């Protein structure tokens, strides 16, 4: 139920391995507007280094109903469930995520600006196809200038059901299944060792 939150310049690592709850490195859930602002970026997640954040066991998230016998949690960054009540904007910017179960997820949350993040080898342990950056049930959201590399057999970017008014531009990805999403550039040379 918070507002005016800044999470910046942190190192989050080697966590969420053995929990049966929905796990994440950095998360904001159920934000509430304290001043009625509709344009200011009141909740900011910036310039964090997040690595080795993943679920290693099956989780039990009660809101999902019955338990699924697969690993489906372990986000590096998760913003979720503002129920259209939150009026401010979210800023997720300049974060570097390495070896996470999932990358950045904006779930049932509007007014997010996801810009200039780098995800490397995202999707380490989850069973599903989504492994990188995902918007699900989001409105009025910007996804710009992100670079995403996922482990094989997964999607780097995914826009789930109920998403609308999205601005997706100048993003790139490699090593992933491809969805036809305008504003994504496919390359095989985002990251390479020499």
């Amino acid at each position: 139920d918070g507002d005016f939150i800044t999470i910046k310049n942190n190192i989050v690592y080697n966590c969420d391995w053995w929990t049966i709850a929905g796990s994440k490195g950095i998360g904001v859930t159920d934000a509430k507007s304290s001043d009625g602002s509709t344009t200011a970026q009141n909740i900011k997640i910036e310039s964090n280094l997040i690595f080795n954040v993943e679920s290693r066991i099956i989780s039990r998230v009660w809101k999902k109903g019955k338990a699924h016998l697969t690993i489906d949690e372990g986000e590096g960054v998760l913003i979720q469930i503002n129920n259209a009540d939150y009026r401010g904007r979210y800023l997720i910017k300049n974060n570097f995520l390495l070896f996470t179960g999932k990358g950045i997820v904006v779930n049932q949350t509007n007014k997010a600006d996801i810009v200039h993040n780098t995800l490397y080898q995202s999707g380490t342990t989850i069973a599903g196809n989504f492994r990188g950056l995902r918007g699900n049930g989001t409105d009025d959201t910007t996804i710009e200038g992100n670079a995403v590399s996922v482990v094989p057999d997964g999607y780097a970017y995914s826009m789930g059901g109920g998403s609308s008014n999205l601005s997706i531009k100048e993003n790139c990805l490699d090593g992933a299944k491809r969805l036809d999403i305008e504003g994504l550039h496919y390359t095989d040379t985002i990251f390479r060792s020499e």
Side-chain angles (χ1 to χ4, degrees):
D1 296 336
D3 195 7
F4 290 96
I5 299 167
T6 299
I7 302 169
K8 186 173 182 178
N9 296 329
N10 296 286
I11 300 174
V12 180
Y13 66 100
N14 291 352
C15 59
D16 296 322
W17 295 352
W18 311 114
T19 177
I20 62 167
S23 60
K24 68 212 56 69
I26 295 174
V28 176
T29 302
D30 298 311
K32 299 285 190 271
S33 291
S34 60
D35 69 346
S37 171
T38 60
T39 58
Q41 293 168 325
N42 296 348
I43 297 178
K44 300 176 184 177
I45 300 173
E46 291 185 82
S47 304
N48 298 289
L49 173 60
I50 302 164
F51 62 94
N52 258 358
V53 174
E54 61 187 17
S55 287
R56 295 185 176 177
I57 60 175
I58 295 167
S59 62
R60 178 63 174 111
V61 179
W62 294 105
K63 286 185 178 182
K64 290 184 178 180
K66 62 184 176 185
H68 300 280
L69 299 179
T70 59
I71 295 174
D72 65 350
E73 295 291 333
E75 294 90 348
V77 175
L78 174 65
I79 304 297
Q80 73 173 354
I81 311 172
N82 70 13
N83 297 322
D85 182 52
Y86 186 63
R87 296 192 163 111
R89 295 193 71 84
Y90 297 87
L91 177 65
I92 304 169
K93 181 178 180 182
N94 292 335
N95 297 288
F96 191 22
L97 290 78
L98 301 96
F99 307 106
T100 56
K102 293 182 188 175
I104 296 173
V105 178
V106 176
N107 183 39
Q108 300 175 38
T109 295
N110 302 328
K111 299 179 183 147
D113 299 315
I114 307 165
V115 294
H116 304 295
N117 298 284
T118 302
L119 286 68
Y120 178 73
Q121 293 296 293
S122 187
T124 53
T125 58
I126 73 159
N129 278 324
F130 160 67
R131 299 177 188 279
L133 195 154
R134 178 173 173 78
N136 184 51
T138 183
D139 180 63
D140 187 13
T141 291
T142 299
I143 300 169
E144 181 177 342
N146 300 286
V148 178
S149 168
V150 298
V151 297
D153 299 323
Y155 294 112
Y157 293 85
S158 174
M159 298 301 113
S163 295
S164 58
N165 300 313
L166 303 178
S167 173
I168 303 172
K169 56 187 176 182
E170 299 177 6
N171 298 282
C172 58
L173 60 107
D174 70 0
K177 293 180 180 179
R178 298 184 177 190
L179 292 173
D180 186 20
I181 300 172
E182 189 174 336
L184 299 182
H185 304 281
Y186 297 91
T187 179
D188 292 324
T189 58
I190 296 175
F191 305 102
R192 73 183 143 167
S193 58
E194 295 184 354

Short mmCIF file of all heavy atoms in Angstrom, two decimals, residues 127-178:
data_model
loop_
_atom_site.label_atom_id
_atom_site.label_comp_id
_atom_site.label_asym_id
_atom_site.label_seq_id
_atom_site.Cartn_x
_atom_site.Cartn_y
_atom_site.Cartn_z
N ALA A 127 9.91 -23.23 -15.84
CA ALA A 127 9.48 -24.23 -16.82
C ALA A 127 8.78 -23.60 -18.03
O ALA A 127 8.77 -24.18 -19.10
CB ALA A 127 8.55 -25.24 -16.16
N GLY A 128 8.19 -22.43 -17.88
CA GLY A 128 7.41 -21.83 -18.96
C GLY A 128 8.27 -21.17 -20.02
O GLY A 128 9.48 -21.08 -19.92
N ASN A 129 7.60 -20.68 -21.06
CA ASN A 129 8.28 -20.03 -22.18
C ASN A 129 8.75 -18.62 -21.88
O ASN A 129 9.73 -18.15 -22.43
CB ASN A 129 7.37 -19.98 -23.41
CG ASN A 129 7.38 -21.27 -24.17
OD1 ASN A 129 8.39 -21.94 -24.26
ND2 ASN A 129 6.23 -21.64 -24.71
N PHE A 130 8.02 -17.88 -21.03
CA PHE A 130 8.41 -16.51 -20.77
C PHE A 130 9.63 -16.47 -19.85
O PHE A 130 9.64 -17.08 -18.79
CB PHE A 130 7.29 -15.70 -20.11
CG PHE A 130 7.87 -14.50 -19.44
CD1 PHE A 130 8.44 -13.51 -20.21
CD2 PHE A 130 7.95 -14.41 -18.09
CE1 PHE A 130 9.08 -12.44 -19.62
CE2 PHE A 130 8.58 -13.35 -17.48
CZ PHE A 130 9.13 -12.35 -18.25
N ARG A 131 10.65 -15.75 -20.27
CA ARG A 131 11.88 -15.73 -19.49
C ARG A 131 12.48 -14.33 -19.30
O ARG A 131 13.32 -14.14 -18.44
CB ARG A 131 12.92 -16.62 -20.16
CG ARG A 131 12.47 -18.07 -20.24
CD ARG A 131 13.47 -18.95 -20.96
NE ARG A 131 12.95 -20.28 -21.19
CZ ARG A 131 12.93 -21.24 -20.29
NH1 ARG A 131 13.37 -21.03 -19.09
NH2 ARG A 131 12.44 -22.43 -20.59
N GLY A 132 12.07 -13.35 -20.09
CA GLY A 132 12.74 -12.05 -20.05
C GLY A 132 11.92 -10.92 -19.47
O GLY A 132 11.82 -10.77 -18.27
N LEU A 133 11.34 -10.10 -20.35
CA LEU A 133 10.58 -8.93 -19.94
C LEU A 133 9.13 -9.15 -20.34
O LEU A 133 8.84 -9.41 -21.50
CB LEU A 133 11.16 -7.69 -20.63
CG LEU A 133 10.74 -6.34 -20.08
CD1 LEU A 133 11.82 -5.31 -20.39
CD2 LEU A 133 9.42 -5.89 -20.61
N ARG A 134 8.21 -9.04 -19.37
CA ARG A 134 6.81 -9.35 -19.65
C ARG A 134 5.88 -8.29 -19.09
O ARG A 134 6.03 -7.85 -17.95
CB ARG A 134 6.43 -10.69 -19.03
CG ARG A 134 4.96 -11.07 -19.24
CD ARG A 134 4.69 -12.48 -18.77
NE ARG A 134 3.30 -12.84 -18.80
CZ ARG A 134 2.60 -13.19 -19.88
NH1 ARG A 134 3.21 -13.18 -21.06
NH2 ARG A 134 1.34 -13.53 -19.81
N GLY A 135 4.92 -7.91 -19.92
CA GLY A 135 3.81 -7.08 -19.48
C GLY A 135 2.55 -7.92 -19.58
O GLY A 135 2.31 -8.57 -20.59
N ASN A 136 1.75 -7.94 -18.53
CA ASN A 136 0.54 -8.75 -18.53
C ASN A 136 -0.58 -7.93 -17.89
O ASN A 136 -0.47 -7.52 -16.74
CB ASN A 136 0.75 -10.03 -17.74
CG ASN A 136 -0.46 -10.93 -17.80
OD1 ASN A 136 -0.97 -11.21 -18.87
ND2 ASN A 136 -0.92 -11.37 -16.64
N GLY A 137 -1.65 -7.64 -18.66
CA GLY A 137 -2.74 -6.85 -18.12
C GLY A 137 -2.30 -5.46 -17.74
O GLY A 137 -2.70 -4.93 -16.71
N THR A 138 -1.48 -4.84 -18.59
CA THR A 138 -0.97 -3.50 -18.30
C THR A 138 -1.48 -2.51 -19.33
O THR A 138 -1.68 -2.86 -20.49
CB THR A 138 0.58 -3.49 -18.26
OG1 THR A 138 1.04 -2.19 -17.91
CG2 THR A 138 1.19 -3.89 -19.58
N ASP A 139 -1.70 -1.28 -18.91
CA ASP A 139 -2.18 -0.22 -19.77
C ASP A 139 -1.26 0.99 -19.60
O ASP A 139 -0.71 1.21 -18.52
CB ASP A 139 -3.63 0.14 -19.38
CG ASP A 139 -4.19 1.24 -20.26
OD1 ASP A 139 -4.32 1.03 -21.48
OD2 ASP A 139 -4.49 2.33 -19.71
N ASP A 140 -1.10 1.78 -20.68
CA ASP A 140 -0.30 3.01 -20.62
C ASP A 140 1.11 2.70 -20.11
O ASP A 140 1.56 3.25 -19.11
CB ASP A 140 -1.00 4.03 -19.73
CG ASP A 140 -0.32 5.40 -19.76
OD1 ASP A 140 0.54 5.63 -20.64
OD2 ASP A 140 -0.62 6.24 -18.89
N THR A 141 1.79 1.82 -20.82
CA THR A 141 3.12 1.37 -20.41
C THR A 141 4.12 1.58 -21.54
O THR A 141 3.82 1.34 -22.70
CB THR A 141 3.07 -0.10 -19.98
OG1 THR A 141 2.34 -0.18 -18.75
CG2 THR A 141 4.44 -0.70 -19.76
N THR A 142 5.33 2.03 -21.18
CA THR A 142 6.42 2.25 -22.13
C THR A 142 7.51 1.22 -21.90
O THR A 142 7.95 1.03 -20.76
CB THR A 142 7.01 3.67 -21.96
OG1 THR A 142 5.98 4.62 -22.22
CG2 THR A 142 8.18 3.89 -22.89
N ILE A 143 7.94 0.57 -22.97
CA ILE A 143 9.04 -0.39 -22.92
C ILE A 143 10.03 0.06 -23.98
O ILE A 143 9.78 -0.08 -25.18
CB ILE A 143 8.54 -1.83 -23.19
CG1 ILE A 143 7.51 -2.22 -22.13
CG2 ILE A 143 9.70 -2.81 -23.22
CD1 ILE A 143 6.76 -3.50 -22.44
N GLU A 144 11.15 0.63 -23.54
CA GLU A 144 12.05 1.30 -24.49
C GLU A 144 13.52 1.08 -24.12
O GLU A 144 13.91 1.20 -22.96
CB GLU A 144 11.75 2.79 -24.50
CG GLU A 144 12.60 3.59 -25.46
CD GLU A 144 12.22 5.06 -25.50
OE1 GLU A 144 11.11 5.42 -25.06
OE2 GLU A 144 13.06 5.86 -25.96
N GLY A 145 14.32 0.77 -25.14
CA GLY A 145 15.77 0.73 -24.99
C GLY A 145 16.30 -0.38 -24.10
O GLY A 145 17.37 -0.24 -23.50
N ASN A 146 15.60 -1.49 -24.00
CA ASN A 146 16.04 -2.62 -23.18
C ASN A 146 16.78 -3.63 -24.04
O ASN A 146 16.47 -3.81 -25.22
CB ASN A 146 14.82 -3.29 -22.53
CG ASN A 146 14.06 -2.33 -21.63
OD1 ASN A 146 14.51 -2.00 -20.55
ND2 ASN A 146 12.92 -1.86 -22.10
N ALA A 147 17.74 -4.32 -23.44
CA ALA A 147 18.46 -5.40 -24.12
C ALA A 147 18.27 -6.67 -23.30
O ALA A 147 18.57 -6.70 -22.10
CB ALA A 147 19.96 -5.07 -24.21
N VAL A 148 17.74 -7.72 -23.95
CA VAL A 148 17.38 -8.93 -23.24
C VAL A 148 17.96 -10.16 -23.92
O VAL A 148 17.75 -10.38 -25.11
CB VAL A 148 15.84 -9.08 -23.15
CG1 VAL A 148 15.46 -10.37 -22.43
CG2 VAL A 148 15.22 -7.88 -22.43
N SER A 149 18.68 -10.96 -23.16
CA SER A 149 19.18 -12.25 -23.60
C SER A 149 18.65 -13.30 -22.63
O SER A 149 18.78 -13.14 -21.42
CB SER A 149 20.71 -12.25 -23.57
OG SER A 149 21.22 -13.55 -23.73
N VAL A 150 18.00 -14.34 -23.18
CA VAL A 150 17.43 -15.37 -22.32
C VAL A 150 18.10 -16.71 -22.61
O VAL A 150 18.72 -16.90 -23.65
CB VAL A 150 15.90 -15.49 -22.50
CG1 VAL A 150 15.22 -14.20 -22.12
CG2 VAL A 150 15.54 -15.91 -23.91
N VAL A 151 17.94 -17.63 -21.65
CA VAL A 151 18.43 -18.98 -21.90
C VAL A 151 17.61 -19.56 -23.04
O VAL A 151 16.50 -19.10 -23.32
CB VAL A 151 18.35 -19.86 -20.62
CG1 VAL A 151 19.23 -19.29 -19.53
CG2 VAL A 151 16.93 -19.99 -20.12
N PRO A 152 18.10 -20.58 -23.74
CA PRO A 152 17.41 -21.10 -24.92
C PRO A 152 15.97 -21.54 -24.63
O PRO A 152 15.60 -21.88 -23.52
CB PRO A 152 18.28 -22.29 -25.33
CG PRO A 152 19.62 -21.97 -24.80
CD PRO A 152 19.38 -21.23 -23.51
N ASP A 153 15.19 -21.54 -25.71
CA ASP A 153 13.80 -22.03 -25.70
C ASP A 153 12.84 -21.17 -24.90
O ASP A 153 11.90 -21.67 -24.30
CB ASP A 153 13.73 -23.48 -25.20
CG ASP A 153 14.52 -24.42 -26.08
OD1 ASP A 153 14.53 -24.21 -27.30
OD2 ASP A 153 15.13 -25.35 -25.54
N GLY A 154 13.07 -19.88 -24.88
CA GLY A 154 12.14 -19.00 -24.20
C GLY A 154 11.97 -17.70 -24.95
O GLY A 154 12.73 -17.38 -25.86
N TYR A 155 10.95 -16.92 -24.56
CA TYR A 155 10.70 -15.62 -25.15
C TYR A 155 11.40 -14.53 -24.34
O TYR A 155 11.30 -14.50 -23.12
CB TYR A 155 9.20 -15.32 -25.18
CG TYR A 155 8.42 -16.23 -26.10
CD1 TYR A 155 7.52 -17.15 -25.59
CD2 TYR A 155 8.60 -16.18 -27.47
CE1 TYR A 155 6.80 -17.98 -26.42
CE2 TYR A 155 7.89 -17.01 -28.31
CZ TYR A 155 7.00 -17.91 -27.79
OH TYR A 155 6.30 -18.74 -28.61
N ALA A 156 12.07 -13.62 -25.03
CA ALA A 156 12.71 -12.50 -24.35
C ALA A 156 11.69 -11.44 -23.96
O ALA A 156 11.82 -10.79 -22.94
CB ALA A 156 13.79 -11.90 -25.24
N TYR A 157 10.68 -11.24 -24.81
CA TYR A 157 9.63 -10.26 -24.55
C TYR A 157 8.29 -10.94 -24.74
O TYR A 157 8.11 -11.73 -25.66
CB TYR A 157 9.71 -9.08 -25.52
CG TYR A 157 10.93 -8.23 -25.36
CD1 TYR A 157 12.13 -8.58 -25.98
CD2 TYR A 157 10.91 -7.08 -24.60
CE1 TYR A 157 13.26 -7.80 -25.85
CE2 TYR A 157 12.03 -6.28 -24.47
CZ TYR A 157 13.20 -6.65 -25.09
OH TYR A 157 14.31 -5.87 -24.95
N SER A 158 7.33 -10.59 -23.89
CA SER A 158 5.99 -11.15 -24.01
C SER A 158 4.99 -10.14 -23.48
O SER A 158 5.18 -9.59 -22.40
CB SER A 158 5.90 -12.46 -23.22
OG SER A 158 4.59 -12.95 -23.21
N MET A 159 3.95 -9.89 -24.24
CA MET A 159 2.88 -9.01 -23.81
C MET A 159 1.63 -9.85 -23.65
O MET A 159 1.09 -10.35 -24.63
CB MET A 159 2.64 -7.89 -24.82
CG MET A 159 3.83 -6.97 -25.03
SD MET A 159 4.38 -6.15 -23.52
CE MET A 159 5.99 -6.91 -23.28
N GLY A 160 1.19 -10.04 -22.43
CA GLY A 160 0.08 -10.93 -22.14
C GLY A 160 -1.27 -10.30 -22.37
O GLY A 160 -1.39 -9.12 -22.73
N GLY A 161 -2.30 -11.07 -22.11
CA GLY A 161 -3.66 -10.65 -22.34
C GLY A 161 -4.06 -9.42 -21.55
O GLY A 161 -3.59 -9.19 -20.44
N GLY A 162 -4.91 -8.61 -22.17
CA GLY A 162 -5.43 -7.42 -21.49
C GLY A 162 -4.50 -6.24 -21.51
O GLY A 162 -4.80 -5.22 -20.90
N SER A 163 -3.37 -6.32 -22.19
CA SER A 163 -2.45 -5.18 -22.26
C SER A 163 -2.89 -4.24 -23.39
O SER A 163 -3.30 -4.69 -24.45
CB SER A 163 -1.02 -5.65 -22.51
OG SER A 163 -0.55 -6.40 -21.42
N SER A 164 -2.80 -2.92 -23.13
CA SER A 164 -3.21 -1.95 -24.14
C SER A 164 -2.41 -0.67 -23.97
O SER A 164 -1.76 -0.45 -22.95
CB SER A 164 -4.71 -1.66 -24.02
OG SER A 164 -5.01 -1.18 -22.73
N ASN A 165 -2.47 0.17 -25.00
CA ASN A 165 -1.77 1.46 -24.99
C ASN A 165 -0.30 1.29 -24.62
O ASN A 165 0.22 1.96 -23.73
CB ASN A 165 -2.44 2.44 -24.03
CG ASN A 165 -3.87 2.73 -24.40
OD1 ASN A 165 -4.17 2.99 -25.57
ND2 ASN A 165 -4.77 2.66 -23.44
N LEU A 166 0.38 0.39 -25.32
CA LEU A 166 1.79 0.12 -25.08
C LEU A 166 2.64 0.90 -26.08
O LEU A 166 2.31 0.98 -27.25
CB LEU A 166 2.09 -1.37 -25.22
CG LEU A 166 1.29 -2.32 -24.33
CD1 LEU A 166 1.67 -3.76 -24.64
CD2 LEU A 166 1.51 -2.01 -22.86
N SER A 167 3.74 1.45 -25.60
CA SER A 167 4.75 2.05 -26.47
C SER A 167 6.00 1.19 -26.36
O SER A 167 6.66 1.18 -25.32
CB SER A 167 5.04 3.49 -26.03
OG SER A 167 6.12 4.00 -26.79
N ILE A 168 6.28 0.43 -27.42
CA ILE A 168 7.43 -0.49 -27.43
C ILE A 168 8.36 -0.05 -28.54
O ILE A 168 8.00 -0.09 -29.71
CB ILE A 168 6.96 -1.94 -27.65
CG1 ILE A 168 5.95 -2.34 -26.58
CG2 ILE A 168 8.15 -2.89 -27.66
CD1 ILE A 168 5.30 -3.68 -26.83
N LYS A 169 9.57 0.41 -28.18
CA LYS A 169 10.48 0.88 -29.22
C LYS A 169 11.93 0.72 -28.81
O LYS A 169 12.27 0.80 -27.63
CB LYS A 169 10.18 2.32 -29.62
CG LYS A 169 10.20 3.31 -28.50
CD LYS A 169 9.73 4.67 -28.99
CE LYS A 169 9.67 5.67 -27.85
NZ LYS A 169 9.17 6.97 -28.26
N GLU A 170 12.75 0.47 -29.83
CA GLU A 170 14.20 0.41 -29.70
C GLU A 170 14.68 -0.58 -28.66
O GLU A 170 15.63 -0.33 -27.92
CB GLU A 170 14.77 1.80 -29.44
CG GLU A 170 14.46 2.77 -30.56
CD GLU A 170 14.95 4.18 -30.30
OE1 GLU A 170 15.65 4.40 -29.28
OE2 GLU A 170 14.63 5.06 -31.10
N ASN A 171 14.03 -1.74 -28.58
CA ASN A 171 14.47 -2.83 -27.72
C ASN A 171 15.17 -3.87 -28.59
O ASN A 171 14.87 -4.00 -29.77
CB ASN A 171 13.26 -3.48 -27.05
CG ASN A 171 12.52 -2.51 -26.16
OD1 ASN A 171 12.94 -2.23 -25.05
ND2 ASN A 171 11.41 -1.98 -26.65
N CYS A 172 16.07 -4.63 -28.00
CA CYS A 172 16.71 -5.70 -28.76
C CYS A 172 16.78 -6.97 -27.91
O CYS A 172 16.63 -6.94 -26.70
CB CYS A 172 18.09 -5.29 -29.24
SG CYS A 172 19.24 -4.81 -27.97
N LEU A 173 16.97 -8.09 -28.61
CA LEU A 173 17.00 -9.37 -27.92
C LEU A 173 17.84 -10.35 -28.72
O LEU A 173 18.10 -10.17 -29.89
CB LEU A 173 15.59 -9.92 -27.75
CG LEU A 173 14.81 -10.17 -29.05
CD1 LEU A 173 14.70 -11.65 -29.31
CD2 LEU A 173 13.44 -9.55 -28.93
N ASP A 174 18.28 -11.40 -28.04
CA ASP A 174 18.95 -12.50 -28.74
C ASP A 174 18.67 -13.82 -28.04
O ASP A 174 18.20 -13.87 -26.91
CB ASP A 174 20.46 -12.26 -28.88
CG ASP A 174 21.23 -12.34 -27.57
OD1 ASP A 174 20.64 -12.60 -26.52
OD2 ASP A 174 22.45 -12.15 -27.60
N GLY A 175 18.92 -14.90 -28.78
CA GLY A 175 18.84 -16.25 -28.24
C GLY A 175 17.48 -16.66 -27.75
O GLY A 175 17.37 -17.36 -26.75
N ALA A 176 16.41 -16.25 -28.43
CA ALA A 176 15.09 -16.54 -27.90
C ALA A 176 14.12 -16.90 -29.01
O ALA A 176 14.35 -16.63 -30.18
CB ALA A 176 14.56 -15.31 -27.17
N LYS A 177 13.01 -17.50 -28.61
CA LYS A 177 11.89 -17.65 -29.53
C LYS A 177 11.41 -16.25 -29.87
O LYS A 177 11.53 -15.33 -29.07
CB LYS A 177 10.76 -18.44 -28.87
CG LYS A 177 11.10 -19.88 -28.60
CD LYS A 177 9.91 -20.57 -27.96
CE LYS A 177 10.21 -22.02 -27.69
NZ LYS A 177 9.07 -22.70 -27.04
N ARG A 178 10.82 -16.11 -31.05
CA ARG A 178 10.46 -14.78 -31.50
C ARG A 178 8.96 -14.59 -31.59
O ARG A 178 8.26 -15.37 -32.20
CB ARG A 178 11.11 -14.51 -32.86
CG ARG A 178 12.62 -14.57 -32.75
CD ARG A 178 13.29 -14.23 -34.05
NE ARG A 178 14.74 -14.22 -33.85
CZ ARG A 178 15.60 -13.78 -34.73
NH1 ARG A 178 15.17 -13.34 -35.90
NH2 ARG A 178 16.88 -13.79 -34.48
#
